[in-house]
Amino acid sequence: MSEHVNLIQGQGTSAQAWASSQRLAALPLVSLDELIAPGSRLAIVAPHPDDEVLSCGGLLAQLAAKNVPIKIVAVTDGEGSHPHSTLWPADSLRAIRQRESRTALRCLGLSAQRIEWARLHLLDSKVAHDEPRLRAHLEQALPGCSHVITTWRADAHCDHDVVGRVTAAVAQTTGARLYEMPVWAWHWATPEDSRIPWERACKFQLDEQTLARKRLALRAHRSQLLADPSTGAAPILTERTLARFSQPYEVYFR
C-alpha cells in the first residue's frame, strides 16, 4: 500500500455530509457531449474491476446509447481484495471479479461485444512494482483514443495513485483529453477539503434512469458486498460506501 493508505480508515465521510458541501454544490455542470464529444474514442484505465463502475458508471450508461467506442484497460484482476481469505482466495477472485465486471457493464447497457478489453494482470496492491510494464502497456493501448479516464493520482490508494500518474503521463504524449476520477477520496476527504482540486473539477448529472442502472451495476460486484466469515472482514463496499457512489452526479477532474 502507499504512504497515504492510512487515510482509508473507519467508515469515512457519509453521503449525507457530502450533500452539504458548498464546494461540491458550486461545481460547474457539464453535459455528455461536453465530457465526451460525438465521434470520440474513449479509454478507461481501471486499477481494479469495479473502479470504472464506481466512479463513471453513469457516464458509461449514457454512452452505451450513443455507441461510443470504449476500451477498458483492467490493470489488475482485483485478486487482492480479500487477503488470507479461504472463502475468497486470490486464484478464485481473479475469475470471479472479471465476471462481476462484465455483469456490471451489462447492467449499464454495455455488452462484451461492444467493449474492447485489455487485461494487464498486474498484481493487485503492487502495481507500483511494475510501473515500467504498466507504462509500456498503456503506450500501446492508448494511442487512437481521444479521451482517457482513470483514477485520480492523489486518491490515496497505492494502485489508484500510480495508475493515475502513469496514465496521465502517457495521455499527455498521445494528446488525449484526460479526466481523473476520485474513488477513495470520497471516503477520506471532507466536504470543503482543500486537498481536493476543486478548481479543475466538474459535475456530471445523472437522470433517474441512468442512476438506476448504475445502482444495479454496483450490486453486481457481489464479492465486494459480503462480509468474509473466514477472516472476520467487513464488506469492502458497505452500504455507507455504496451510498457515496449512488448520488445523482459524478465528479471528474479535468
Side-chain angles (χ1 to χ4, degrees):
M1 304 300 280
S2 74
E3 62 181 345
H4 303 295
V5 74
N6 62 333
L7 292 176
I8 305 173
Q9 296 184 32
Q11 294 185 340
T13 304
S14 68
Q16 292 82 359
W18 281 112
S20 68
S21 170
Q22 295 181 8
R23 294 220 187 187
L24 189 56
L27 291 183
L29 297 177
V30 291
S31 68
L32 178 62
D33 287 350
E34 287 174 314
L35 269 180
I36 311 294
S40 299
R41 297 183 63 86
L42 171 65
I44 298 174
V45 185
H48 311 102
D50 57 3
D51 290 320
E52 71 276 12
V53 175
L54 289 169
S55 288
C56 60
L59 175 63
L60 288 175
Q62 293 199 20
L63 290 175
K66 299 279 189 178
N67 294 315
V68 174
I70 297 173
K71 173 182 288 187
I72 296 181
V73 181
V75 177
T76 78
D77 296 326
E79 76 281 0
S81 63
H82 292 72
H84 314 298
S85 174
T86 57
L87 180 63
W88 304 101
D91 287 344
S92 296
L93 275 171
R94 287 187 177 93
I96 290 169
R97 297 202 66 186
Q98 286 186 29
R99 289 198 299 269
E100 291 173 345
S101 182
R102 290 185 183 276
T103 300
L105 291 171
R106 284 198 299 271
C107 292
L108 298 174
L110 290 164
S111 66
Q113 291 75 23
R114 294 179 57 192
I115 299 171
E116 180 183 350
W117 289 93
R119 296 194 181 277
L120 309 189
H121 306 295
L122 301 189
L123 291 179
D124 190 357
S125 298
K126 296 181 180 177
V127 175
H129 298 175
D130 270 331
E131 185 171 333
R133 187 176 164 203
L134 171 63
R135 180 166 187 134
H137 278 300
L138 294 181
E139 287 174 342
Q140 292 186 354
L142 297 188
C145 296
S146 57
H147 294 67
V148 176
I149 299 176
T150 190
T151 45
W152 181 34
R153 71 194 83 175
D155 203 40
H157 182 289
C158 54
D159 290 343
H160 292 207
D161 293 0
V162 68
V163 169
R165 177 167 48 80
V166 174
T167 302
V170 175
Q172 185 174 24
T173 67
T174 66
R177 177 176 293 183
L178 177 73
Y179 296 111
E180 295 175 86
M181 50 188 185
V183 181
W184 281 108
W186 297 117
H187 177 99
W188 55 259
T190 54
E192 313 305 326
D193 207 312
S194 62
R195 293 170 293 181
I196 300 296
W198 301 106
E199 70 283 354
R200 60 186 183 95
C202 60
K203 187 192 296 183
F204 179 58
Q205 290 289 150
L206 308 182
D207 57 44
E208 290 185 9
Q209 182 179 10
T210 299
L211 185 56
R213 281 185 174 272
K214 181 176 180 178
R215 287 172 172 166
L216 187 63
L218 290 170
R219 296 283 176 183
H221 295 282
R222 186 171 178 272
S223 66
Q224 310 301 291
L225 299 172
L226 302 176
D228 188 348
S230 73
T231 62
I236 294 167
L237 296 179
T238 63
E239 292 299 321
R240 186 181 178 95
T241 303
L242 289 173
R244 290 193 288 263
F245 294 104
S246 299
Q247 301 306 305
Y249 58 80
E250 292 170 344
V251 172
Y252 297 91
F253 301 147
R254 295 181 279 198

